[in-house]
Amino acid sequence: IAHTRFAMSVEAVIFDWGGTLSRYADIDLADMWQLAAEHLARDARLSVPELRAALIAAEQRYWAGVNASQHTGTLGDILAQASSALGLDVTAAVIEEAAQRHLDAWTPHIRHHADAVVALQALREQGIAIGLLSNTHWPETFHEHFLQRDGLAGLIDVRAYTSNMQHSKPHREAFAYVLSHLGVAPERAVMVGDRPVDDVWGAQQSGMRGIWRPHPMAPELGAVVPDAVIQQLSELPALLADW
């Protein structure tokens, strides 16, 4: 653990989701695009690989726009853009396939870290409120499914997904939304995440402290200076107690 010391106690911890509470998943929506491409290929002139590539490209264009403007959107926005680009009803294909194959069937790679439950329980025993703030285009129900499945939902007081919000991290409004619902001032809150700019720098610009939890695929820190660096979620309770 590397950190600087503060005199003010911590009243709330806000976690990022992908790569922080959950293990980093490199393919994200690729499984769903494969299913949608197979569905569309029944009536389209394009091959499954061509359709899948076009759908993945639509998602990449979406994220490029989010990174540039910090204005978020939904899975529906991506499907609408893909439908327009292909001249096909992508939305119907995704909905039909998702209905036929349970979420776990096409995203078996989504798993939370083994120490996530224990770490959150320890923080709650310290009287610390817990929030979640995820940059995502997934519907809220997708995330809630995984949190419920792995026993985390009941340990998180406020769960915020940018697919339901106007702005994404690192925009100040994204952090302000969670802080207001937690009822905690920014100087008494900490953000934990794997992305230096979105999570650490964004939190710091909002008056919070930022803790970086890297993994092998995490972006490099660059000019960002976190208030602490941890390798495991289980390190958090002792670190915050020291603060």
Side-chain angles (χ1 to χ4, degrees), residues 20-32:
T20 302
L21 282 181
S22 69
R23 296 181 182 276
Y24 178 78
D26 193 31
I27 61 175
D28 200 11
L29 288 181
D31 283 357
M32 189 182 71

Side-chain angles (χ1 to χ4, degrees), residues 199-218:
D199 298 318
V200 177
W201 180 84
Q204 292 171 335
Q205 296 306 299
S206 297
M208 303 168 60
R209 282 167 272 183
I211 297 177
W212 188 45
R213 186 192 186 283
H215 53 75
M217 298 301 293

Side-chain angles (χ1 to χ4, degrees), residues 11-15 21 112-132 144 146-159 161 182 233:
E11 295 181 358
V13 177
I14 301 172
F15 290 91
L21 282 181
H112 292 96
H113 287 286
D115 61 348
V117 168
V118 173
L120 266 60
Q121 287 175 333
L123 292 175
R124 290 178 70 90
E125 289 172 1
Q126 292 178 358
I128 294 174
I130 298 174
L132 182 147
E144 291 293 304
F146 291 121
L147 292 169
Q148 292 283 356
R149 182 197 66 185
D150 293 345
L152 288 161
L155 299 173
I156 303 174
D157 301 297
V158 174
R159 302 185 291 278
Y161 309 105
L182 286 170
L233 295 174

Side-chain angles (χ1 to χ4, degrees), residues 32 35-36 39 75 91-106 142:
M32 189 182 71
L35 293 176
H39 183 108
L75 179 59
T91 302
V94 169
I95 291 174
E96 289 175 21
E97 289 296 341
Q100 293 172 21
R101 308 188 191 196
H102 192 267
L103 198 59
D104 272 351
W106 55 262
F142 282 20

